[in-house]
Amino acid sequence: MITMDDIVREGHPMLRTVTKEVPIPPAKEDQETLKEMLQFLKNSQDEEIAEKYNLRPGVGLAAPQLGLDKRMLAIHVDDIKGKLHSYALFNPKVVSHSVEGGYLSSGEGCLSVDREVPGIVPRHARVTVKAYDMDGNQVKLRLKGYPAIVIQHEIDHLNGVMFYDHINEDNPFQPPENAKPVDQE
Ligand code: ZN
């Protein structure tokens, strides 16, 4: 099972790498890794398991966070209505997005960042993502609110981008124009 020891932290070059596409149909090994990534998120959100294995709760994980040069990610997150968005994806790509922006009013965190980095991270309010699922079928997801923020954070990891790259250095809590906090809808 994946634990915090498997997750690379800030300073690791893979977190600054534009990662490579995963061949589709996916190899068994890639499917297995992706399955474990999703399982890690579930484990990290289970109080007992998280405590036993010292897991920091997470809602998303990207392969470069395991030091892997592969475009794959998992998210496991409830939206504001309590609907679960649980996805394990190969080669995800934002194909369109809203003009309107969105952000988490409390800022973002990352399993690869062992410190608080305060500030608003401007994102798109809504995104359409094309990807391949675990079995290699093409899927198209339309996401808004918290899940939309999470998937943008994870897709950034596939491109070597960290959440704090987006924070306005001079005025970290200045709300971006034409953007709403997604956690207060
Ligand atoms: Zn992250």
Side-chain angles (χ1 to χ4, degrees), residues 15 60-62 65 108-113 123 150 153-154 156-157 161-163:
L15 293 175
L61 184 66
Q65 293 183 274
E108 296 184 18
C110 181
L111 293 169
S112 295
V113 179
R123 303 282 186 193
V150 174
H153 176 121
E154 299 311 327
D156 266 357
H157 276 307
V161 176
M162 300 296 284
F163 72 93

Side-chain angles (χ1 to χ4, degrees), residues 78-153:
D78 283 329
D79 66 20
I80 205 158
K81 290 177 182 151
K83 185 190 168 205
L84 177 65
H85 293 259
S86 187
Y87 309 114
L89 303 173
F90 295 108
N91 304 336
K93 198 178 167 194
V94 174
V95 291
S96 66
H97 62 77
S98 57
V99 174
E100 189 189 5
Y103 59 91
L104 295 174
S105 47
S106 54
E108 296 184 18
C110 181
L111 293 169
S112 295
V113 179
D114 293 323
R115 62 191 172 107
E116 300 257 316
V117 186
I120 287 173
V121 180
R123 303 282 186 193
H124 305 300
R126 296 173 294 284
V127 290
T128 301
V129 173
K130 270 192 184 173
Y132 294 90
D133 68 12
M134 190 74 87
D135 301 315
N137 303 308
Q138 197 165 31
V139 291
K140 195 176 185 180
L141 306 173
R142 288 187 184 81
L143 300 175
K144 59 176 181 171
Y146 191 31
I149 302 283
V150 174
I151 205 160
Q152 288 172 81
H153 176 121

